[in-house]
Amino acid sequence: MCGIVGYVGQKQALEVVVAGLRRLEYRGYDSAGVAVIADGALEVRKKAGKLANLESLIGTDPLPQSTTGIGHTRWATHGGPTDSNAHPHVSEDSSIAVIHNGIIENFAELREELTAAGVTLSSETDTEVAAHLLAATMPAAGGNLTDAMRMVCQRLEGAFTLVAIDKAQPDLVVAARRNSPLVVGLGEGENFVASDVSAFVDHTRNALELGQDQIVTITPSGVDVITFEGGPAEVTPFTVDWDAAAAEKGGFDLFMLKEIAEQPKAVADSLRGRFDADNRLQLDEMRLSDVDLRGITKVVVVACGTAFHAGMVAKYAVEHWTRIPVEVELASEFRYRDPIVGPDSLVIAISQSGETMDTLMALRHAKAQGARTLAICNTVGSTIPRECDAVLYTYAGPEIAVASTKAFLTQIVAAYLVGLYLAQVREQMSAADISDVMEDLKGMPQKVDLVLDTVEPVRAIARTFANSTSVLFIGRHVGYPVALEGALKLKELAYMHAEGFAAGELKHGPIALIEDGVPVVVILPSPSDRLHDKMISAIQEVRARGAVIIAIAEEGDEKILNFSDHVIRVPVTPSLMQPLVSTVPLQVFACEMATAKGHDVDQPRNLAKSVTVE
Ligand code: M6R
């Protein structure tokens, strides 16, 4: 949700910043802008629409050479996606330029105050107030941008990352962070700030995680971090463990296609090295004792979107293995309904980005109630794992396409590992049983590979239905969250009405949606599963009313041939592992449908990858 990058060093700032924005564009693409300092003046270019629009503007109206710059790619919150609302925003005296990610909640009061003081605001954004406040505070701060930032941050409410430059201090970029992402890249004779490491990984893999309410000042030769109060700040250095190529398309037309193809490796990597010398499962960061875990009486998963669906899948497995009740909550609803959690609850926050504000706020609420917390996350150094007692990273590599694919599979794997870990600590499963499940999991990359090898016919099926007005997805047990995930993918990519249902619920209402020709995607369990026949009954009910059936069925399931119009095959797989294979054709289905409709698959309309506002 907005990508920000700042650079100071020896290179052409514009090139570094625009290349960084290209990597961050997945975070928002309503507008883009840059500011550089040259010859004692600020130069700003900004444009509504995608980064390409900004690049063509700079092509016709070039920027002067400069070694200090900031850049922004926006997901609009306050004010529509127009040129004037695009960042950077500049103070009235043209001395200070600011970019921002997040929401300044008290911006209306601050706007009034500025207007009363005679300042003319030129945008509808909350960000612009920060530019004017910084300029107004500079005299009191003795002309020191870092001090001015510190003073201004103390007046701001909400969540924000702010990055500012001052025309009078050309070798310096100042950034502040509260509840929004910000990382620092440490180079040689150059330094960076950005929303995430992908913006600077071409230049350096050495980085710093910042804590909350911290301000960083970067110059070509140094990095200085202080708290909002001006005291020393604790930071954590880390090395980015993937290279720049991982954030490129690597020969694929779309990031989504690349990320779908990477799933076998992502699953395999997320399973690697999970046993210690005593052959006991281990997590990446564990600040919970076995005694704590033995005292857990319930597990609550908080997550959003695809991560929420991963949590729903995990519920079936974790309850089965541990006999601990598992609740799965939409993070955005969690804290507003006064949930019952306490020291005997384990709250698991699942988030690819580690920055989703709804999930972060749910997590903080759970912590405030004394709950034990555990993060399942794909982004090292992000806020959610930093704030949890324990962390299990998914090793999916950077996920750039807005539609989540490989993160989903690895989140299921990670949540299963947590379930097995709990079962191990609480002696609910024998070592042999845990090892059997691990063997099943270890076999999954190969099975996902098989699905990818045979997925071609899915594209043709997707094209057949590109003009449908609605597609329904049904499943039972772990097939139900898979149905929800298939529908979510189709909504966000093909902009089409799509809904997932628990198949048993059809007759309680949704079956009224069925009319002649409505495509219904059915996620079938194995023929040996007791729910297989129930699913066949559901198919018959909708078929009798004109539905066209697209079945996701196991190899060897001959019975389904009599009840479906199209069959997509997945390998024979234990029931609890089935989501890892049956989701893949649904990802391809949505991707192909969106392509057939001419949509931008990697950057679907109105969305952003990382949702850092509540
Ligand atoms: O970064 P997170 O996993 O916390 O993101 C949660 C959702 O915003 C995300 O899964 C979203 O639903 C995806 N775009 C769906 O494909």
Side-chain angles (χ1 to χ4, degrees):
M1 200 125 290
C2 299
I4 54 178
V5 56
Y7 173 77
V8 59
Q10 323 293 332
K11 298 175 183 144
Q12 281 310 312
L14 179 65
E15 283 166 26
V16 177
V17 166
V18 170
L21 289 181
R22 216 168 281 133
R23 289 271 172 73
L24 295 179
E25 203 181 8
Y26 71 93
R27 301 180 71 92
Y29 30 84
D30 289 332
S31 64
V34 289
V36 297
I37 306 175
D39 302 326
L42 283 179
E43 290 277 355
V44 177
R45 302 287 182 276
K46 52 189 195 172
K47 195 75 196 149
K50 295 202 171 179
L51 181 61
N53 295 2
L54 173 69
E55 290 181 282
S56 64
L57 172 69
I58 295 171
T60 52
D61 187 8
L63 278 163
Q65 303 220 322
S66 168
T67 53
T68 303
I70 57 176
H72 187 267
T73 177
R74 179 170 186 243
W75 187 83
T77 56
H78 292 60
T82 60
D83 289 355
S84 57
N85 287 335
H87 303 208
H89 291 280
V90 176
S91 59
E92 250 190 334
D93 62 358
S94 299
S95 63
I96 286 174
V98 172
I99 53 176
H100 166 221
N101 173 26
I103 292 179
I104 299 171
E105 284 169 0
N106 57 335
F107 88 104
E109 295 132 67
L110 295 170
R111 260 182 102 93
E112 266 178 39
E113 177 188 312
L114 287 162
T115 311
V119 175
T120 309
L121 288 111
S122 52
S123 77
E124 301 151 294
T125 65
D126 51 344
T127 308
E128 194 187 346
V129 299
H132 298 301
L133 285 175
L134 277 170
T137 309
M138 283 299 268
N144 180 314
L145 184 60
T146 307
D147 283 343
M149 182 67 96
R150 208 166 53 70
M151 291 155 85
V152 168
C153 285
Q154 285 171 359
R155 300 202 55 204
L156 304 181
E157 289 165 19
F160 50 84
T161 302
L162 287 167
V163 183
I165 50 175
D166 170 14
K167 70 175 184 181
Q169 300 172 75
D171 285 334
L172 176 143
V173 174
V174 176
R177 167 179 197 219
R178 168 177 286 167
N179 289 336
S180 260
L182 180 67
V183 283
V184 180
L186 305 170
E188 304 255 323
E190 59 182 1
N191 289 300
F192 308 78
V193 288
S195 304
D196 73 51
V197 296
S198 62
F200 54 70
V201 75
D202 275 333
H203 306 277
T204 179
R205 287 163 72 175
N206 297 323
L208 282 186
E209 283 176 36
L210 294 189
Q212 295 301 346
D213 289 7
Q214 294 187 351
I215 293 179
V216 59
T217 305
I218 59 167
T219 63
S221 56
V223 169
D224 189 37
V225 187
I226 56 169
T227 63
F228 280 8
E229 285 73 41
E234 256 185 50
V235 291
T236 317
F238 68 103
T239 307
V240 182
D241 63 0
W242 46 271
D243 60 18
E248 303 288 347
K249 283 188 193 153
F252 287 84
D253 290 340
L254 301 168
F255 277 114
M256 185 174 178
L257 288 174
K258 176 185 174 232
E259 289 160 10
I260 288 171
E262 284 172 341
Q263 292 183 110
K265 180 173 183 309
V267 170
D269 287 350
S270 299
L271 284 166
R272 226 181 290 287
R274 294 301 183 187
F275 286 95
D276 65 13
D278 301 325
N279 219 17
R280 282 173 62 84
L281 266 169
Q282 55 184 359
L283 305 186
D284 294 298
E285 288 172 30
M286 196 54 185
R287 292 174 286 272
L288 291 173
S289 67
D290 286 2
V291 174
D292 291 335
L293 293 177
R294 285 193 200 108
I296 296 299
T297 58
K298 78 167 165 179
V299 171
V300 181
V301 177
V302 290
C304 303
T306 290
F308 172 74
H309 298 154
M312 285 181 75
V313 171
K315 173 183 166 78
Y316 293 88
V318 177
E319 285 188 339
H320 178 64
W321 292 330
T322 65
R323 308 312 299 151
I324 309 173
V326 179
E327 292 170 14
V328 189
E329 293 266 354
L330 285 171
S332 53
E333 289 294 316
F334 181 69
R335 71 178 170 134
Y336 298 102
R337 64 161 188 82
D338 196 12
I340 303 163
V341 285
D344 56 352
S345 316
L346 177 66
V347 173
I348 304 179
I350 306 182
S351 174
Q352 187 283 132
S353 61
E355 300 292 351
T356 299
M357 187 57 77
D358 290 319
T359 310
L360 178 60
M361 289 304 173
L363 166 69
R364 286 187 181 163
H365 183 82
K367 280 186 80 162
Q369 312 302 307
R372 319 287 174 186
T373 55
L374 185 149
I376 290 176
C377 185
N378 195 40
T379 312
V380 176
S382 57
T383 308
I384 289 171
R386 280 172 64 94
E387 296 196 10
C388 279
D389 299 318
V391 182
L392 189 69
Y393 283 110
T394 50
Y395 292 96
E399 192 181 65
I400 310 286
V402 166
S404 192
T405 53
K406 59 180 179 172
F408 179 66
L409 264 58
T410 58
Q411 284 161 351
I412 294 172
V413 167
Y416 279 16
L417 290 175
V418 172
L420 294 173
Y421 189 85
L422 283 171
Q424 168 184 283
V425 169
R426 298 160 68 98
E427 295 171 10
Q428 198 75 40
M429 277 170 89
S430 69
D433 287 347
I434 292 177
S435 161
D436 285 349
V437 179
M438 283 304 294
E439 283 314 304
D440 289 342
L441 280 169
K442 285 181 187 160
M444 292 316 295
Q446 204 188 353
K447 295 193 177 189
V448 178
D449 238 339
L450 270 174
V451 179
L452 292 171
D453 285 346
T454 52
V455 88
E456 202 47 43
V458 176
R459 297 183 208 283
I461 299 172
R463 286 186 177 264
T464 311
F465 294 101
N467 293 323
S468 301
T469 46
S470 175
V471 180
L472 306 182
F473 294 74
I474 59 171
R476 287 188 80 140
H477 194 259
V478 287
Y480 167 44
V482 171
L484 295 176
E485 177 60 9
L488 175 62
K489 288 282 100 75
L490 205 58
K491 276 182 253 204
E492 72 176 331
L493 297 177
Y495 316 153
M496 188 182 245
H497 173 247
E499 276 194 74
F501 297 108
E505 274 296 294
L506 277 176
K507 54 192 178 297
H508 299 290
I511 199 161
L513 292 168
I514 304 294
E515 56 189 17
D516 243 4
V518 170
V520 177
V521 179
V522 184
I523 294 95
L524 279 132
S526 162
S528 60
D529 193 299
R530 66 200 157 130
L531 286 172
H532 189 270
D533 283 348
K534 296 263 185 293
M535 287 303 296
I536 297 283
S537 306
I539 291 175
Q540 284 181 305
E541 286 158 18
V542 291
R543 247 191 151 198
R545 290 160 175 88
V548 179
I549 303 299
I550 304 160
I552 313 282
E554 251 186 35
E555 289 294 351
D557 181 348
E558 298 305 323
K559 195 170 176 185
I560 191 59
L561 295 171
N562 301 322
F563 298 98
S564 55
D565 301 277
H566 305 272
V567 180
I568 296 166
R569 292 293 182 183
V570 292
V572 176
T573 307
S575 294
L576 288 171
M577 304 294 153
Q578 214 217 24
L580 299 172
V581 287
S582 54
T583 309
V584 178
L586 305 186
Q587 298 165 342
V588 174
F589 185 79
C591 183
E592 188 65 20
M593 191 88 102
T595 306
K597 291 170 143 240
H599 296 171
D600 185 336
V601 171
D602 285 337
Q603 296 179 345
R605 72 182 180 198
N606 304 340
L607 292 170
K609 182 71 181 166
S610 176
V611 185
T612 54
V613 293
E614 243 192 306

